[in-house]
């Protein structure tokens, strides 16, 4: 149970990193479509405050949908076994720390690489600049969204997970195991949706 909990914690961190990146990409795509349809960028007039709020709302909705996934998974693992969940919490903290550091640094490196190509090398419009823009497109959600979101995920997992495991231990074993299976199946649906819907 302890080894399995350690593997689950690492897997959830990497899945959540990917799911949050996907949520950001989807939100940005929908926001760009909204801008194309509702805001005239070819005029000198700036976008209205209402239009700006609509764009921010679109991005926020998709970011929140991406964050909902993790809470279902928390309750499923808490219901199975207390030892499994304790090692899961330890693993989430360790993997989450190093994953957040990696994503923040890698995203910053990609962002800085684009600036070097544009400012120092004066290669704007070249194939090198195109490659730097692609790297920065990945780097921005890395450093601005996914890495930053891992800290609250670790905190919320610990807080709500400890409450959930306490309730699971107090409940009859058949009920807690049944709830764990139901939450796990719901979590698998969210995993599938986070990448394919």
């Amino acid at each position: 149970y302890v080894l399995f909990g350690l593997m689950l914690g690492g897997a959830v961190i990497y899945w959540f990193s990917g799911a949050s990146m996907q949520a950001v990409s989807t939100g940005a795509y929908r926001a760009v479509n909204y801008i194309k349809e509702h805001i005239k960028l070819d005029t000198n007039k700036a976008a209205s405050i209402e239009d700006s709020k609509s764009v921010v709302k679109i991005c926020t909705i998709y970011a929140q949908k991406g964050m909902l996934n993790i809470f279902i998974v928390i309750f499923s693992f808490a219901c199975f076994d207390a030892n499994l969940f304790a090692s899961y919490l330890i693993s989430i903290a360790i993997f989450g720390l190093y994953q957040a550091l990696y994503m923040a640094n890698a995203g910053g490196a990609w962002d800085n690489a684009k600036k070097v190509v544009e400012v120092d090398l004066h290669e704007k419009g070249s194939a090198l600049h195109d490659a730097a823009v692609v790297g920065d497109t990945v780097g921005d959600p890395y450093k601005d969204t996914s890495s930053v979101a891992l800290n609250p995920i670790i905190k919320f997992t610990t807080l709500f997970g400890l409450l959930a495991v306490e309730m699971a231990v107090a409940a009859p074993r058949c009920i807690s195991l049944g709830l764990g299976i139901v939450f796990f199946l719901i979590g698998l649906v969210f995993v599938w949706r986070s990448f394919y819907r």
Side-chain angles (χ1 to χ4, degrees):
Y1 281 129
V2 172
L3 290 175
F4 189 51
L6 292 173
M7 289 189 296
L8 285 175
V12 165
I13 287 295
Y14 288 110
W15 159 64
F16 178 76
S17 299
S20 61
M21 293 270 298
Q22 182 66 33
V24 169
S25 301
T26 305
Y29 178 77
R30 299 287 165 88
V32 167
N33 279 344
Y34 179 85
I35 290 169
K36 285 180 182 176
E37 293 172 5
H38 296 92
I39 301 173
K40 304 295 181 215
L41 297 176
D42 54 355
T43 63
N44 292 330
K45 183 181 163 192
S48 68
I49 293 175
E50 290 78 23
D51 288 336
S52 300
K53 286 182 179 178
S54 299
V55 171
V56 171
K57 183 179 178 184
I58 290 168
C59 295
T60 305
I61 286 170
Y62 282 95
Q64 288 172 344
K65 283 182 179 180
M67 299 291 278
L68 177 64
N69 307 340
I70 195 76
F71 293 107
I72 301 297
V73 176
I74 291 169
F75 291 114
S76 68
F77 296 146
C79 293
F80 288 128
D81 185 75
N83 292 325
L84 178 134
F85 192 71
S87 62
Y88 169 76
L89 286 180
I90 292 167
S91 181
I92 268 196
I94 293 170
F95 277 89
L97 169 68
Y98 289 114
Q99 179 71 358
L101 288 173
Y102 154 70
M103 293 181 97
N105 286 314
W110 273 321
D111 192 30
N112 291 337
K114 188 184 84 155
K115 289 184 178 93
V116 167
V117 168
E118 289 176 351
V119 177
D120 294 344
L121 301 177
H122 305 292
E123 292 281 338
K124 204 164 189 175
S126 67
L128 178 63
H129 183 255
D130 291 345
V133 168
V134 171
D136 187 49
T137 304
V138 177
D140 280 340
Y142 253 51
K143 68 181 174 57
D144 296 332
T145 307
S146 294
S147 65
V148 181
L150 286 171
N151 183 35
I153 287 305
I154 294 167
K155 288 181 180 178
F156 289 138
T157 300
T158 306
L159 176 67
F160 293 115
L162 290 176
L163 295 173
V165 80
E166 186 179 346
M167 289 187 290
V169 168
R173 183 73 182 139
C174 60
I175 292 176
S176 63
L177 192 60
L179 284 174
I181 291 170
V182 168
F183 284 136
F184 184 72
L185 292 174
I186 294 171
L188 287 179
V189 170
F190 276 112
V191 169
W192 178 77
R193 281 185 59 206
S194 64
F195 292 107
Y196 299 109
R197 284 309 222 181

